Amino acid sequence: MRAAVTEEQAVRAPAAGRGTLTVGAGLVLLGVSASVYLVLSARAVGPREFASVSTLWTLIYTFGIGAFLPFEQELGRALAHRGELGRGGAPVLARTAVAAAVVLAVLLAAGGLLAPALVDRLFGGTWAPLLALAVTLVAMAAQYVTRGAFSGTGRFGWYSAQLGLEGGARIAGCAVLFLAGVHTIGPYAWLLAAAPLLSVLVTAPGVRAALRPGPPAGWGEISANLGWLLLATVCAQGVANAAMVAIRLLAPGSDAAGRFLAAFVVARVPLFLFQAVQAVLLPGLSRALAAGDRAAFGRELRRVLAATAGVGLAGVLGAALLGPQVLRLAFGAAFHLGRLDIVVLAAATGLYMIAQVFQSGLVALGRHRANGLAWAIALLVFVLACLLPMGVLARVELALVLSCAAAAVLLGAWLREGARAAVPAGRFEDGVMTR
């Protein structure tokens, strides 16, 4: 029997939509800044040095997003729940900050122990990228905790401002370095740390709304799904980004990682379109679950899946027709890669986007365990495929496609099973389906 939608839910839906649009504006600027940074830094330092930039970029977004995005998600959920109950959020914010600091300390300690090997194998003997990585992880830990505070208290303007400030600072800083004729990796590496740090410092006042005193917070208030979220995000970012590190390790003396990342930027253009699709996916699925409407859940999922598949197919066709030309135009003649290589990367991007759609459905159903296991298996597929006796580029490309396909298949299968079991008999609480 379909549950009635309450007046409170109907009022909150438009507010969530406005928040999505506000955050989307900052997200667009941040996404554009990534392309500007990669294109200008590649042209400035050349393919060989850009291999180190690509490795740094990969490590930042694998461990920065993977380790700290779950804290944003859990803090946002917990603060929103407290807000509905009229309770202050300061205790849960403090708990989250402590937990994020512990994870940050573990990452920094591991980096310190492995520093000589990392500098030698991944950064060509240059220490600046590794030091910049450490500072960037500190900034990103603060970013995701503050973003959780912004989203949980409905401060979407502050959230968007933080995204936009990071993107704007990155674009401006990179343009200054490029126009000044800087051709060494160090300043470009430190720019990756400076931009998020600046965004946190400027937007810190927006956290005040989450500092209202309230009842004590137990660890369970923020950690119910934290372990599975950490596993899922780290492994998903690994599947998305590990190819550059793998190439760097398998061919340490070449510029293949730099050329590969340049081609990846071109092949991943559809991800910009997918971000708009993804922004409206989870709320729509959640509303269908709130109403206990399996048919609406299925329709919403199929609609977004069809749009995502169309974007992915357009990306593959675009790569086949114009991939090498766009790569040469954006990065220069030194960053060459074969047409088939770019098509393979575009196909992997399409599979990854489909996997992300299925992941959103599993999260809406509260199936965090299945989500984490699927991405962990996909990352294992990537690692095993990298051991095949093939050329470096061929095996890394195959590993990328197989891992993205494995994620899509597993997530899709478990979503189908979860939807059949949970939608008719589950209960919808705090934004997820519970059993």
Side-chain angles (χ1 to χ4, degrees):
M1 185 173 180
R2 183 180 301 184
V5 178
T6 67
E7 181 179 355
E8 180 186 3
Q9 289 170 327
V11 170
R12 279 205 306 254
R18 288 194 297 270
T20 298
L21 292 175
T22 302
V23 172
L27 189 61
V28 168
L29 182 56
L30 186 64
V32 170
S33 77
S35 296
V36 171
Y37 174 85
L38 292 171
V39 169
L40 292 183
S41 63
R43 284 184 170 272
V45 303
R48 186 171 294 276
E49 288 297 314
F50 190 62
S52 293
V53 175
S54 70
T55 302
L56 174 61
W57 183 272
T58 298
L59 293 175
I60 285 174
Y61 287 99
T62 297
F63 292 104
I65 295 177
F68 301 116
L69 175 61
F71 292 105
E72 175 192 331
Q73 295 170 328
E74 286 295 279
L75 176 59
R77 177 195 57 78
L79 286 175
H81 181 58
R82 281 188 166 227
E84 290 176 357
L85 299 176
R87 300 172 182 171
V92 74
L93 175 59
R95 286 282 191 187
T96 305
V98 169
V102 170
V103 172
L104 175 64
V106 171
L107 288 176
L108 294 179
L113 291 173
L114 298 172
L118 293 174
V119 170
D120 181 55
R121 293 299 302 274
L122 297 180
F123 299 120
T126 303
W127 279 86
L130 185 63
L131 296 174
L133 171 63
V135 176
T136 306
L137 290 178
V138 173
M140 293 184 76
Q143 274 188 322
Y144 282 107
V145 172
T146 54
R147 288 176 191 173
F150 298 151
S151 64
T153 56
R155 271 34 180 198
F156 298 113
W158 285 103
Y159 194 119
S160 182
Q162 189 177 98
L163 295 173
L165 280 168
E166 181 183 354
R170 184 185 292 160
I171 291 173
C174 199
V176 168
L177 292 175
F178 185 79
L179 293 174
V182 176
H183 300 295
T184 56
I185 185 177
Y188 291 97
W190 282 111
L191 179 59
L192 287 178
L197 192 58
L198 175 66
S199 73
V200 170
L201 294 175
V202 174
T203 59
V207 179
R208 282 196 299 263
L211 295 177
R212 190 163 60 90
W219 287 112
E221 193 169 353
I222 64 165
S223 63
N225 298 305
L226 192 57
W228 292 116
L229 284 171
L230 281 169
L231 178 66
T233 51
V234 169
C235 291
Q237 291 300 313
V239 169
N241 298 310
M244 277 70 74
V245 174
I247 291 176
R248 189 69 163 158
L249 291 173
L250 294 171
S254 75
D255 61 0
R259 292 188 291 112
F260 192 86
L261 178 58
F264 229 157
V265 172
V266 173
R268 284 187 167 178
V269 168
L271 277 176
F272 288 107
L273 298 175
F274 176 66
Q275 287 174 344
V277 173
Q278 192 179 37
V280 300
L281 172 59
L282 191 54
L285 294 176
S286 297
R287 284 192 294 271
L289 290 174
D293 191 342
R294 176 194 283 187
F297 181 84
R299 283 195 306 271
E300 184 72 14
L301 190 63
R302 286 191 296 271
R303 182 177 66 84
V304 178
L305 187 60
T308 302
V311 170
L313 180 60
V316 172
L317 293 175
L321 294 173
L322 298 172
Q325 295 91 322
V326 174
L327 177 62
R328 187 163 51 250
L329 179 65
F331 289 90
F335 289 86
H336 58 85
L337 208 66
R339 189 180 304 272
L340 180 59
D341 297 300
I342 303 175
V343 169
V344 170
L345 296 181
T349 298
L351 290 170
Y352 186 80
M353 292 190 299
I354 289 173
Q356 289 283 312
V357 172
F358 292 146
Q359 172 183 272
S360 294
L362 276 175
V363 169
L365 290 168
R367 299 296 178 110
H368 297 86
R369 180 175 180 271
N371 185 39
L373 289 176
W375 284 113
I377 293 170
L379 185 58
L380 179 61
V381 169
F382 179 90
V383 172
L384 293 176
C386 283
L387 302 177
L388 294 173
M390 304 168 64
V392 172
L393 276 178
R395 76 172 107 165
V396 170
E397 289 170 357
L398 179 62
L400 183 62
V401 171
L402 289 178
S403 60
C404 291
V409 169
L410 289 172
L411 290 165
W414 283 336
L415 173 60
R416 183 182 180 89
E417 174 189 329
R420 285 179 171 176
V423 172
R427 293 180 296 108
F428 190 75
E429 297 177 353
D430 301 334
V432 296
M433 178 65 70
T434 59
R435 298 289 292 168

